[in-house]
Amino acid sequence: MQAPGGTTARGLFHAQGRPPGPESESARKETLMTTKTEVTTDELDALRSEINGLDDELIRIWQRRAAVSKRIGEIRMANGGTRLVLDRERAILEKYRTALGEDGVQIAMLVLRAGRGPL
């Protein structure tokens, strides 16, 4: 049986301090899966924790960006300008498209709407 990384299951057991023995193939598979699951569970918990932190940061940045954008709109309108500047919005859409692909356009539309409101 081939284990991840190209080593044989028997070699992996031996490397873990277990001498190669007559254990059944299913027992070796179960042990390998259990070991992999334990490692994966620890990693999964760490990654989920990181995602939670990133989500908190995204929300904070989203809210700050919306507030700054609204303030820019207020200043622009108070000085006789238009509610929005289409060239600026097009540039933002293109920036997101370039960085994130077509999904970036959808994200940019939501970001823009959060700052200026719906069209």
Side-chain angles (χ1 to χ4, degrees):
M1 178 175 83
Q2 195 74 9
T7 60
T8 63
R10 186 172 298 281
L12 188 62
F13 280 99
H14 187 61
Q16 293 175 352
R18 295 183 198 150
E23 56 225 336
S24 72
E25 185 72 14
S26 64
R28 282 194 295 268
K29 284 182 183 175
E30 183 177 308
T31 302
L32 285 173
M33 292 178 122
T34 301
T35 302
K36 186 175 180 180
T37 301
E38 289 169 4
V39 172
T40 304
T41 300
D42 292 342
E43 183 181 11
L44 187 61
D45 290 344
L47 291 170
R48 284 184 175 154
S49 179
E50 183 177 359
I51 287 288
N52 290 341
L54 291 169
D55 285 344
D56 292 344
E57 190 174 348
L58 282 169
I59 291 167
R60 181 187 60 76
I61 291 169
W62 180 282
Q63 290 171 333
R64 178 64 185 146
R65 191 197 186 288
V68 169
S69 182
K70 285 177 184 173
R71 182 65 185 134
I72 288 170
E74 290 169 357
I75 292 169
R76 194 173 48 242
M77 289 177 63
N79 288 301
T82 59
R83 182 171 158 235
L84 33 121
V85 179
L86 292 178
D87 286 343
R88 173 77 177 141
E89 291 208 1
R90 279 191 207 106
I92 292 167
L93 288 167
E94 188 55 35
K95 179 180 183 176
Y96 277 72
R97 180 192 330 270
T98 299
L100 304 171
E102 288 305 311
D103 286 343
V105 175
Q106 297 302 313
I107 294 169
M109 294 296 290
L110 293 170
V111 166
L112 290 168
R113 188 174 74 190
R116 63 153 154 69
L119 293 176

